[in-house]
Amino acid sequence: MILHADGNSFYASCEQIFRPDLRGKPVAVLSNNDGVIIALNKEAKATGIRRGDPYFKVRDICAGKKIAVFSSNYTLYADIARRITSIYMEYAPDIEEYSIDESFLFFDQCSFTKQDWYDIGRELKQRIYKEVGMPICVGVAPTKTLAKLYNKKAKEHGGVFVYDKDEIDPLLEKTDCGTIWGVGPARAARLRQRGIRNALSLKHMSLYEAKKLMTIQGFATVQELNGIPCIDKIIRTKKDVITSSRQFSKRIYDIPTLECAIVQYAELAVERLRQQACECKAVSIYISTCNYYSDNPDEQYSNGAFATLPRMTSYTPDIVDAARTLLPRVFRYGYGYKSIMVTLMDITPAACQGNLWIDPREDIKKRDFMSSLDAISQSYGRGAITLAKGFERQGWEMRRSFLSPCWTTRYQDIPKVH
DNA sequence: TCTGGGGTCCTAGGACCC
DNA sequence: TCTGGGGTCCTAGGACCC
């Protein structure tokens, strides 16, 4: 059996943890630039506001209904997610962190009764609420697709819901196809054309037809609805691409401002590349005037460009320069740009040697520098570290066999030890 | 009427997820 | 005036090769 645990209105609940006075009151969280609503708790949903609503359109309603509105704080949410995961790990030997607020827990033994699963689920729910302050729901079923479905239905069952083979078909019959994991709006529409509306008919669909209609993924979904595990645990050690993008609140008409943004978001992307101890071989940028309504199509323009780097690297200046150099190739005057995107591609784990060089003009005390080394080894894994007065560059120079190269030319970039 | 066949690699685009 | 920011997987089709 697989246990699926999911934080309720995760972002909104995170904010409530630090504002106990908001318990039971409506809470909403906004995207970057306070553009749209990305999370709502149950009380906020009841006011009629929906996820994805532009904030400027519903600002008055929010004020009128006394909804507490927050700008998003992803660092906080990630920290809370970490604490929750550490509790999950006490329960299951094997965990898949599917997203920031969702995990699959895989259990070894299968001798548990239905009641045992309810006990485990309820205990888990209580502990997470008591120790972290996050309300969660739990679904238990033989496959990931069914576990997610049971989780969704758990809200009407006190927060914990366990599979029962005698109850599954009536449950599926009451479930719309589109709510099944892996069936989005497009596939739901195609299924409807074939007269398949509820999840029970989807379960009984022929595998041949499922594959023809919804690719191999649809095949897997149908198998999973029949209780046959088909979607493996995903073990991810690195991302395939790293994207850093933003929609601006104002239109940008000139190259320098756009270039500033490209540099900034390229730096963010490289930061994440290093965090996963990887290097990349290519970078691309994309700029767009994309607007959502009432715009003259003649004013729309978007373009992207791609560059292969001379070598595998995680060296910020090289990657940032490459991204910046692409800009003149895609920029056209006369357009007001609304969004940019920087993507790092061809990512592979780094296993080469790196040098860290400190500019001598910064006059760093050797003792301070040594204490930073501890932090570096914690971040980048073990390796032999040598510290010496640099010969070639006349500064402090550190050589070590990095698991990943840590390139920097500024002392303040080095993580500090407290 | 007639057009070789079999393979790989790469890319764009669609669909999905949170 | 103001509409998010990440990701993944699959497939078709073109380029290229022998």
Side-chain angles (χ1 to χ4, degrees):
Chain A
M1 293 285 256
I2 297 167
L3 188 152
H4 178 252
D6 183 0
N8 301 348
S9 320
F10 187 72
Y11 292 170
S13 300
C14 283
E15 298 293 348
Q16 280 176 305
I17 291 173
F18 295 91
R19 290 284 305 276
D21 56 305
L22 293 176
R23 290 259 179 241
K25 304 214 172 110
V27 173
V29 177
L30 304 175
S31 65
N32 277 68
N33 296 331
D34 293 347
V36 300
I37 291 181
I38 54 171
L40 293 157
N41 67 358
K42 179 168 96 244
E43 291 80 6
K45 273 176 201 145
T47 67
I49 288 173
R50 284 207 309 271
R51 196 184 121 88
D53 282 344
Y55 183 49
F56 72 91
K57 281 189 182 169
V58 295
R59 195 189 311 252
D60 292 343
I61 304 174
C62 288
K65 305 262 185 183
K66 299 228 171 10
I67 299 176
V69 180
F70 293 87
S71 298
S72 43
N73 180 352
Y74 296 103
T75 321
L76 171 74
Y77 310 150
D79 184 58
I80 289 168
R82 256 196 306 279
R83 284 151 60 189
I84 293 172
T85 304
S86 72
I87 296 176
Y88 291 157
M89 289 203 272
E90 292 177 33
Y91 284 80
D94 197 9
I95 286 183
E96 176 186 342
E97 288 175 75
Y98 177 70
S99 76
I100 189 163
D101 69 326
E102 271 182 49
S103 289
F104 291 103
L105 281 63
F106 303 93
F107 290 81
D108 278 348
Q109 75 250 50
C110 305
S111 55
F112 291 147
T113 64
K114 190 175 163 190
Q115 189 54 47
D116 291 338
W117 286 113
Y118 270 111
D119 292 344
I120 290 173
R122 284 176 187 141
E123 188 188 318
L124 194 62
K125 185 172 160 60
Q126 276 165 18
R127 271 199 65 186
I128 304 275
Y129 191 73
K130 199 170 144 224
E131 292 175 30
V132 186
M134 174 64 56
I136 63 164
C137 278
V138 172
V140 183
T143 66
K144 288 166 81 173
T145 305
L146 287 172
K148 269 185 79 88
L149 177 64
Y150 272 74
N151 186 310
K152 204 169 274 186
K153 303 274 180 184
K155 304 215 164 48
E156 305 140 29
H157 291 80
V160 181
F161 198 20
V162 179
Y163 172 87
D164 184 316
K165 70 178 191 317
D166 299 325
E167 296 167 1
I168 176 73
D169 281 2
L171 180 79
L172 289 177
E173 199 170 5
K174 283 185 291 183
T175 305
D176 188 84
C177 275
T179 64
I180 299 294
W181 188 40
V183 182
R187 286 175 190 168
R190 301 179 80 171
L191 288 170
R192 263 200 303 280
Q193 276 178 2
R194 290 257 192 315
I196 294 166
R197 290 174 175 279
N198 63 48
L200 185 61
S201 358
L202 182 61
K203 172 183 172 179
H204 291 139
M205 190 177 185
S206 87
L207 290 172
Y208 171 78
E209 206 184 356
K211 176 160 190 250
K212 218 172 66 174
L213 220 58
M214 303 178 289
T215 80
I216 193 78
Q217 292 162 329
F219 180 100
T221 299
V222 172
Q223 288 278 65
E224 291 238 323
L225 286 178
N226 282 283
I228 302 160
C230 215
I231 301 173
D232 289 337
K233 182 191 173 190
I234 297 165
I235 302 161
R236 221 179 285 292
T237 53
K238 67 173 183 70
K239 302 242 192 307
D240 290 342
V241 297
I242 292 174
T243 306
S244 178
S245 68
R246 221 42 111 231
Q247 305 237 2
F248 309 122
S249 48
K250 284 190 296 196
R251 283 163 204 280
I252 293 175
Y253 291 89
D254 61 312
I255 283 199
T257 314
L258 218 46
E259 187 177 292
C260 235
I262 296 269
V263 167
Q264 190 184 339
Y265 292 106
E267 279 175 355
L268 274 174
V270 178
E271 188 76 38
R272 301 214 299 267
L273 181 73
R274 288 230 202 87
Q275 273 168 16
Q276 57 178 57
C278 282
E279 300 177 314
C280 73
K281 189 80 197 327
V283 58
S284 82
I285 67 163
Y286 181 83
I287 60 175
S288 168
T289 60
C290 174
N291 218 336
Y292 288 83
Y293 68 111
S294 74
D295 248 6
N296 180 351
D298 294 342
E299 290 171 6
Q300 298 302 323
Y301 169 77
S302 66
N303 202 357
F306 168 96
T308 304
L309 298 160
R311 61 188 168 88
M312 298 296 305
T313 183
S314 65
Y315 183 48
T316 309
D318 281 358
I319 297 170
V320 167
D321 278 348
R324 198 205 328 245
T325 315
L326 291 170
L327 185 57
R329 276 174 41 192
V330 297
F331 184 87
R332 298 281 178 279
Y333 278 102
Y335 293 104
Y337 293 94
K338 280 291 292 182
S339 71
I340 63 156
M341 180 153 81
V342 178
T343 304
L344 309 182
M345 287 171 293
D346 289 354
I347 292 171
T348 51
C352 59
Q353 182 115 352
N355 284 343
L356 183 87
W357 178 72
I358 306 300
D359 193 315
R361 283 166 300 184
E362 291 201 46
D363 188 31
I364 306 301
K365 299 267 184 308
K366 185 176 176 181
R367 189 181 41 129
D368 293 341
F369 190 35
M370 287 305 282
S371 76
S372 297
L373 294 185
D374 288 339
I376 294 170
S377 17
Q378 275 165 24
S379 306
Y380 293 93
R382 276 183 290 173
I385 298 175
T386 331
L387 177 65
K389 276 280 193 185
F391 296 107
E392 291 153 16
R393 291 169 162 178
Q394 301 202 336
W396 286 111
E397 200 169 343
M398 190 189 73
R399 295 215 176 90
R400 68 192 287 265
S401 310
F402 279 123
L403 196 62
S404 119
C406 170
W407 290 97
T408 178
T409 51
R410 292 181 312 159
Y411 178 72
Q412 62 259 37
D413 288 346
I414 304 175
K416 302 290 184 297
V417 182
H418 301 291

